[in-house]
Each structure stands twice: as C-alpha cells, then as structure tokens.
Amino acid sequence: KGSDDLGNYYNTQAELAQHQAINRDGWYATNKDWWEQDGGGGYGGTTDEEAMIGDGGGEADGVEGLAFLDRLILESSSKSNSKKLKFARAIDAGAGVGRVTKHI
C-alpha cells in the first residue's frame, strides 16, 4: 500500500503497475517533447529551475534531509565505537538527487 508523487493511492503493487502501464506512452511522449524543446539541446529548460521536471520542493526536501542526517549522526555518536557510523564515503543516488543536494 502506498501513494505516488501525485498523491494517487494504490492498494497493491499490481495496481501501481497497471497505472504505470496505462500511462507509459503518454509519459514517454511528454518526456521526449520536453527534452526536444529549445532545439533539442538536451537541457529541457532555459534556466536551472526549469532543467528538471518535478524540481519543485527540493529546498524543503533538503532541509528534511539535513535533519535526518543530524538525527543519524546524533544517534550514532551515542553508540560504542564499534557501532558508530563512519562517514568516510558518499554515494551518488541519481534519480534527481541533485534537486535536494543543491540546497545542502
């Protein structure tokens, strides 16, 4: 059970998959049109704020992300050395993570 980024609720994974299958061609056409605007330069917008579909809310997500990391670090600092988290590496999560990390 869960919802998507538009607030549509699904009781099962099968319901979500059915919704995705029904809308797939339209989504791909919209995406293709978006990337081809402005002469097809691959940017999809005229400013950084237009450069990504769904970019809105990144600042609020960044604030929440930092709060999550603060809680994680605080919790880790109260554990014994063998159980403390070591923040020695980073991972590029892809999938639009830049809309959040640009605010951090």
Side-chain angles (χ1 to χ4, degrees), residues 48-66:
D48 285 344
E49 294 306 314
E50 295 174 352
M52 185 176 167
I53 294 173
D55 199 32
E59 187 170 354
D61 289 343
V63 168
E64 178 55 33
L66 286 172

Side-chain angles (χ1 to χ4, degrees), residues 2 13 20 22 25 31 36-37 47 52 67 69 71 73 76-77 83 86 97:
Q13 173 66 27
Q20 291 172 328
I22 290 168
D25 291 342
N31 192 355
E36 290 177 349
Q37 72 183 4
T47 68
M52 185 176 167
L69 290 173
R71 290 188 305 269
I73 292 167
S76 175
S77 68
K83 294 187 179 190
K86 295 181 176 108
V97 72

Side-chain angles (χ1 to χ4, degrees), residues 10-22:
Y10 306 96
N11 285 308
T12 65
Q13 173 66 27
E15 282 184 20
L16 172 61
Q18 181 181 18
H19 175 76
Q20 291 172 328
I22 290 168

